[in-house]
Amino acid sequence: MAGIKALISLSFGGAIGLMFLMLGCALPVYDKYWPLFLLFFYILSPIPYCISRRVVDDTDSASNACKELAIFLTTGIVISAFGLPIVFARAEVVIRSNLCSWRLC
């Protein structure tokens, strides 16, 4: 039962995150649709691991190179999803508030 609660809370958190992403792009105050490119990272992130699960035989308990590569690629995609908004803010594509200033960098 604990696994179901974790799955429900993760899906709820993902839905809230997507809602905030859509609201941040669709509100007329901001009028910028560049952050929607984050959806590509959300779609691409599980693909390497799903492919490796189909290719790899799980009878061996030792670490597998294909599975390790898939985890590495998934980690790179997730880190890129965090880095893209920083690049957008640095290039002044998205609007920054007075509280978040890049003059310190």
Side-chain angles (χ1 to χ4, degrees):
M1 195 69 179
I4 294 174
K5 288 181 183 178
L7 182 65
I8 290 172
S9 62
L10 280 174
S11 63
F12 182 72
I16 294 295
L18 284 174
M19 181 191 69
F20 283 143
L21 179 66
M22 295 295 177
L23 278 177
C25 294
L27 290 175
V29 175
Y30 302 113
D31 197 30
K32 301 282 184 183
Y33 292 97
W34 288 104
L36 284 177
F37 280 111
L38 287 176
L39 293 177
F40 292 123
F41 293 116
Y42 294 159
I43 293 169
L44 289 177
S45 62
I47 290 176
Y49 192 70
C50 291
I51 290 173
S52 73
R53 279 186 25 204
R54 297 224 182 235
V55 171
V56 173
D57 187 22
D58 283 337
T59 58
D60 189 17
S61 64
S63 174
N64 193 351
C66 181
K67 199 171 193 178
E68 296 288 331
L69 178 66
I71 292 171
F72 176 75
L73 292 175
T74 303
T75 305
I77 293 170
V78 169
I79 289 172
S80 298
F82 281 104
L84 187 66
I86 295 172
V87 170
F88 281 162
R90 189 80 172 151
E92 297 182 1
V93 173
V94 293
I95 299 172
R96 296 185 310 251
S97 66
N98 290 334
L99 297 175
C100 179
S101 177
W102 288 99
R103 293 182 194 142
L104 299 175
C105 295

